[in-house]
Amino acid sequence: MDIQKIIADAQAKADANGDGKLSIEDLDHLAQKHGLDPKVLDGFKAKADANGDGRVGLEDLQSGVGQLGSMAAT
């Protein structure tokens, strides 16, 4: 399974209202569920919302995942 498919599947499962985008609430729920560091999540949200609409779409998510590793290292 390639990373794009994994990301798309994860995004679909986390999208509480089925609109194709992850809201801030969706991301916060994921962070709590998986014990993610809030600082890492805040950095991800700021960088992953490429169009600034307050939600993370599939394209935003795919772009942001590449940045997530470098944010966790800081």
Side-chain angles (χ1 to χ4, degrees), residues 7-25:
I7 292 168
D9 288 348
Q11 189 267 343
K13 288 177 184 174
D15 181 11
N17 68 1
D19 69 352
K21 301 232 179 199
L22 297 179
S23 67
I24 298 304
E25 293 80 17

Side-chain angles (χ1 to χ4, degrees), residues 2 12 19 48-49 67:
D2 73 270
D19 69 352
D49 183 13
Q67 298 171 17

